[in-house]
């Protein structure tokens, strides 16, 4: 189950990532609670979440090009330092009793720009460390770290908000980035030689062209994009659910996030045991169907125990969908294009989500949070079901097309490496 942790570089990175994610989840719970405390508006929750992720829609592709052309460790060290600075600034504003919604909005927007360059480099670096043979295990273990943090981080955030104040949540998040920054110089792995023989625009279009030629990648990404747009914004409305539906406080909202994390952790551990066959793309569609149904069930919950169970299934199915998609895409893509293709994946996974957050926020303002979440989950379920039916008849065609594409690319690479001999 823990094969990838035998790699000393990945083991160091994984521990640092776990600590950093813990701090990140503390801030992810405290920030919307702070916004809702100031504005009492679901639309404001959607707007802040929109600003935090919106830059990925436009900048993550350039982040992917940079990840393929530059030392990925340097990129990550720089972005983690910027994250730390932003968290400390927000903590200072809270402690000074000067924080306003526009401060949170601006810092969230800057954080989104940083994420556009951080995520592609980190996604590609995992394969650099463990190789393709342990890739599924490594991605599942990274997901497990994320969801361990999701279990304990929100509970810690709820405690800090109630007993110490929100400023400590943001300060603690800032400190947590040191767990990634400090070990970076000691990580040793082989990165595919950076591509510097083409200009930025050519590199960008080469990655997009590769994605467009592969129907399997396009289908997998379409499932993720619909889920990000309609299903996953439920998390943005959690403060409204906590107060208006369940009548609880910040600690209760933290418990809701933690229940989601327990389910996601279970899904990540199951995936860590799995040996993923590249032909089993239908797993993604089935998990997406489960995600839509679980979110619809959560929207009908009237008590916290029922909500906890529903959110556990939401977490399990979301991890199954996204971690499996991540692995399948990285198994298909060649090393030299990994940063660019993964930047496109992160663009549709997290870059489209802010549009969903914005729609969910305004829909909740007009019709209530349960109806907004219910509609999004239903759309995601219907789309995933339609794709699952289509996938059953497309598998062999995809495999033949991908095999021909791989042979053509191998031949082109070989021809490019053969230099003409002078007479």
């Amino acid at each position: 189950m823990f094969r990838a942790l035998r790699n000393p570089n990945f083991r160091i990175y994984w521990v640092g990532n776990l600590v950093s994610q813990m701090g990140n989840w503390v801030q992810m719970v405290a920030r919307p609670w702070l916004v809702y405390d100031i504005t009492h508006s679901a639309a404001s929750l959607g707007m802040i979440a929109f600003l935090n992720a919106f830059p990925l829609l436009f900048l993550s592709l350039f982040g992917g090009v940079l990840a393929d052309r530059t030392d990925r460790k340097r990129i990550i060290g720089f972005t983690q330092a910027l994250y730390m600075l932003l968290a400390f600034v927000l903590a200072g504003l809270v402690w000074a009793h000067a924080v306003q919604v526009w401060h949170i909005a601006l810092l969230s927007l800057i954080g989104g720009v940083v994420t556009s360059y951080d995520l592609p480099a980190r996604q590609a670096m995992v394969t650099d460390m463990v190789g393709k043979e342990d890739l599924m295990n490594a991605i599942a273990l990274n997901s497990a770290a994320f969801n361990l943090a999701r279990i304990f981080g929100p509970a810690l955030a709820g405690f800090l908000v109630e007993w110490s104040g929100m400023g400590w949540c943001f300060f603690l998040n800032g400190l947590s980035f040191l767990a990634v920054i400090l070990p970076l110089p000691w990580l040793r792995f082989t990165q595919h030689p950076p591509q510097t023989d083409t200009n930025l625009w050519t590199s960008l279009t080469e990655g997009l062209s590769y994605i467009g030629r592969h129907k399997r990648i396009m289908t997998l990404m379409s499932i993720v994009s619909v889920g990000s747009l309609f299903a996953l914004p439920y998390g943005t409305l959690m403060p409204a659910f906590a107060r208006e539906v369940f009548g609880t406080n910040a600690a209760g909202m933290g418990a809701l996030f933690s229940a989601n994390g327990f389910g996601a952790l279970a899904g990540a551990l199951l995936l860590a045991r799995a040996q993923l066959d590249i032909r089993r793309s239908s797993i993604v569609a089935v998990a997406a169907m489960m995600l839509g149904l679980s979110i619809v069930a959560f929207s009908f919950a009237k008590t916290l125990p029922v909500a906890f169970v529903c959110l556990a299934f939401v977490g399990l199915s979301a991890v199954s969908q996204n971690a499996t998609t991540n692995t399948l895409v990285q198994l298909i893509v060649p090393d030299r294009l990994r940063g660019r293709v993964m930047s496109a994946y992160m663009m549709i996974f997290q870059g489209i989500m802010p549009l969903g957050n914005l729609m969910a926020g305004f829909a909740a303002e007009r019709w209530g949070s349960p109806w907004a979440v219910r509609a999004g989950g239903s759309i995601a379920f219907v789309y995933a079901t339609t794709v699952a039916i289509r996938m059953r008849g497309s598998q062999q065609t995809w495999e033949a097309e991908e095999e021909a594409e791989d042979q053509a690319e191998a031949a082109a690479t070989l021809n490019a490496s053969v230099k003409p001999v002078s007479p």
Side-chain angles (χ1 to χ4, degrees), residues 1 3 136-137 140-141 144 263-276 290 316-317 319-320 324:
M1 181 184 293
R3 294 189 311 277
M136 180 64 184
N137 187 255
L141 289 175
L265 177 62
L269 293 176
L270 286 173
L271 289 175
R273 296 176 59 91
Q275 294 290 336
L276 185 64
M290 288 177 54
L316 189 151
S317 52
V319 163
S320 300
T324 304

Side-chain angles (χ1 to χ4, degrees), residues 56 221 224-225 227-229 232 318 321-322 344-354:
L56 274 79
M221 287 190 172
V224 172
S225 66
S228 296
L229 187 62
L232 295 184
Q321 171 191 291
N322 296 318
Y345 169 75
M346 298 313 301
M347 181 186 73
I348 60 99
F349 178 32
Q350 295 194 9
I352 290 178
M353 200 181 300

Side-chain angles (χ1 to χ4, degrees), residues 42 237 240-241 244-245 360-375:
L237 300 176
F241 269 92
E244 298 171 7
V245 178
F362 284 107
E365 195 85 359
R366 185 175 180 86
W367 295 295
S369 298
W371 276 105
V373 169
R374 196 171 303 151

Side-chain angles (χ1 to χ4, degrees), residues 71-302:
D71 183 348
R72 290 166 186 158
K73 287 199 298 182
R74 291 184 180 180
I75 298 173
I76 294 168
F78 184 68
T79 56
Q80 296 293 302
L82 287 176
Y83 281 138
M84 182 168 59
L85 177 62
L86 293 174
F88 286 156
V89 169
L90 185 54
L93 287 170
V94 172
W95 281 333
H97 303 287
V99 66
Q100 299 179 35
V101 172
W102 75 265
H103 294 139
I104 304 172
L106 179 60
L107 292 172
S108 297
L109 180 63
I110 297 172
V113 173
V114 176
T115 301
S116 301
Y117 293 91
D118 177 73
L119 280 182
R122 281 203 287 156
Q123 291 289 323
M125 195 175 75
V126 172
T127 308
D128 294 337
M129 286 188 283
V130 304
K132 289 190 175 182
E133 59 277 3
D134 286 333
L135 181 60
M136 180 64 184
N137 187 255
I139 289 175
L141 289 175
N142 271 342
S143 183
F146 178 83
N147 290 295
L148 274 172
R150 187 192 294 194
I151 292 170
F152 297 108
L156 177 59
F159 174 81
L160 290 174
V161 168
E162 293 297 320
W163 298 102
S164 301
M166 293 185 190
W168 284 104
C169 294
F170 306 125
F171 182 76
L172 183 64
N173 181 43
L175 288 180
S176 72
F177 291 110
L178 292 174
V180 175
I181 295 171
L182 295 180
L184 275 175
W186 284 271
L187 296 183
R188 296 288 183 267
F189 53 83
T190 302
Q191 179 178 335
H192 189 274
Q195 184 186 36
T196 57
D197 56 340
T198 58
N199 60 43
L200 186 146
W201 183 251
T202 302
S203 295
L204 179 63
T205 54
E206 183 184 13
L208 294 176
S209 176
Y210 178 86
I211 295 170
R213 294 195 306 267
H214 282 72
K215 293 181 180 179
R216 191 200 302 262
I217 292 179
M218 289 289 290
T219 301
L220 292 172
M221 287 190 172
S222 76
I223 295 173
V224 172
S225 66
V226 171
S228 296
L229 187 62
F230 296 106
L232 295 184
Y234 77 93
T236 300
L237 300 176
M238 204 66 80
F241 269 92
R243 279 189 173 176
E244 298 171 7
V245 178
F246 305 118
T248 187
N249 56 13
M253 185 183 72
L256 289 168
F257 277 111
S258 295
N260 186 263
F262 274 111
L265 177 62
L269 293 176
L270 286 173
L271 289 175
R273 296 176 59 91
Q275 294 290 336
L276 185 64
D277 188 330
I278 198 171
R279 293 169 295 183
R280 297 179 64 188
S281 305
S282 56
I283 289 178
V284 177
V286 173
M289 292 166 61
M290 288 177 54
L291 175 62
L293 283 177
S294 301
I295 288 175
V296 170
F298 168 69
S299 74
F300 284 103
K302 300 299 182 184

